[in-house]
Amino acid sequence: MNQEKNRRAPGALWRFVVNFWTAQPQAPESLLPLIVAIRGLGVSGFIERLDSQLDDARFLEELREEWLFACAGFRVWTQQQDTIVAWARRSEWGFDAETVAQWWLYGDESSELVVHANERGAELLPELDFGPYQDVVNARLQRLTARGRGADVVAGNVLTHLRWCLPWLMELNGLTDLAQRTWSPHPSNPKIWTSDDVAFVDEYYRDQELVLVAPAEEAIDPFTLVPLKVEQGVGFGPTGLRYCWLVVMRATIIDFMDEILDYGRFHGIRGTLRCVECGEFAPRNPRGYGQLYCSTRCKKRAAKRRYRTGAEAPLSLPLPSSGGS
């Protein structure tokens, strides 16, 4: 039932995720509340599997550790970026700040910085102040050292975990930017994507299998066949926060693209609106034209502010109104 409902009315999941993300600090501290909030939406697909994972004690332990490491990695980057860049510049490759940012924040594993971290990571870790996350970092250092790992191997492992899930922040920011450019309320704003935008959504959108569903009858009318998209497995490896990242982003971007594709194919679908008052995304009123506000409340709030300041109303779409807010 949930699969059928989501297939008919895409948009609810991605709007919730983007609205939640823009209302919270764009930092790892917001990731765990986002996961918990999505769990309560009752969305089908792999989000349902995430529910069962969150009931597993071992999974929760891995999730908590990876989340704390993401918080620690983001903290040292925002507060001690110069220290990390200076360490990278001392290498034989002499990395610049942009390359270091691509490695730390965007998960670029092709950079020689991966090699440098595994060989000289022990020089960087003592220079970093992890603040309230020092204990979780020390615990991993002690655990790996007790297994007989060398200092540089241990440091390289810790540096990997510090930045392991930070690309999720960049992807959520990228999805938010893409949504704002795609669902602008003003017709003068061109809805243009780049090849990088398409590659970003396609990386997740392709992770599904198309299945034709037929009614349980002996003689089947071909015009009753319904396509059903089934998310493929996540494969072996992702645990904790990385598993949540893959599941949430895949489901969200599939929902995002399904609405765009339906909007382009079916003229009766109105798509999403970004409110000019509060900035949140909402389903567009199916009867309204020239709609700028997500609700009557936002419309009245804007009218009161214009009354006080004497400002003009924002320009609406050049179409006749028929009851939209």
Side-chain angles (χ1 to χ4, degrees), residues 20-37:
F20 184 97
W21 186 246
T22 53
Q24 302 291 325
Q26 279 78 64
E29 287 78 3
S30 301
L31 293 177
L32 206 54
L34 174 61
I35 294 168
V36 173

Side-chain angles (χ1 to χ4, degrees), residues 33-235:
L34 174 61
I35 294 168
V36 173
I38 288 177
R39 186 183 187 186
L41 290 181
V43 182
S44 62
F46 265 76
I47 296 294
E48 289 182 339
R49 301 192 187 186
L50 180 60
D51 277 353
S52 61
Q53 291 279 27
L54 292 174
D55 291 329
D56 183 85
R58 182 176 178 181
F59 180 86
L60 287 175
E61 183 180 352
E62 294 172 342
L63 171 60
R64 181 179 181 277
E65 183 179 18
E66 290 185 8
W67 175 62
L68 290 173
F69 261 86
C71 294
F74 192 72
R75 171 192 166 88
V76 295
W77 178 258
T78 55
Q79 298 185 7
Q80 302 168 71
Q81 177 180 345
D82 292 342
T83 300
I84 299 173
V85 172
W87 163 80
R89 282 177 174 163
R90 292 196 298 266
S91 73
E92 59 180 294
W93 294 281
F95 302 104
D96 58 23
E98 182 178 353
T99 302
V100 178
Q102 288 293 324
W103 168 69
W104 193 277
L105 291 177
Y106 292 88
D108 181 8
E109 299 299 326
S110 64
S111 171
E112 289 85 354
L113 264 166
V114 176
V115 177
H116 183 58
N118 290 329
E119 293 180 348
R120 309 294 291 273
E123 298 177 2
L124 175 61
L125 280 183
E127 300 181 34
L128 300 178
D129 176 15
F130 296 101
Y133 308 106
Q134 189 68 57
D135 288 345
V136 70
V137 174
N138 288 342
R140 189 171 191 87
L141 285 169
Q142 294 170 4
R143 187 166 65 247
L144 294 175
T145 302
R147 296 175 183 174
R149 307 286 181 85
D152 286 315
V153 174
V154 170
N157 181 285
V158 171
L159 288 174
T160 296
H161 280 77
L162 286 171
R163 59 185 184 81
W164 212 359
C165 295
L166 296 184
W168 190 4
L169 307 181
M170 305 303 108
E171 290 190 354
L172 285 169
N173 290 341
L175 176 61
T176 299
D177 174 71
L178 199 57
Q180 291 171 349
R181 287 189 281 123
T182 303
W183 296 109
S184 170
H186 299 290
S188 59
N189 294 346
K191 298 172 176 57
I192 301 299
W193 284 16
T194 66
S195 57
D196 288 340
D197 295 331
V198 176
F200 167 55
V201 297
D202 185 57
E203 181 181 357
Y204 288 104
Y205 195 76
R206 70 177 71 173
D207 286 341
Q208 54 187 336
E209 181 179 359
L210 194 63
V211 179
L212 288 175
V213 178
E217 301 173 359
E218 189 69 26
I220 298 173
D221 180 353
F223 294 100
T224 62
L225 294 174
V226 177
L228 179 65
K229 296 173 182 176
V230 181
E231 294 182 46
Q232 299 181 32
V234 299

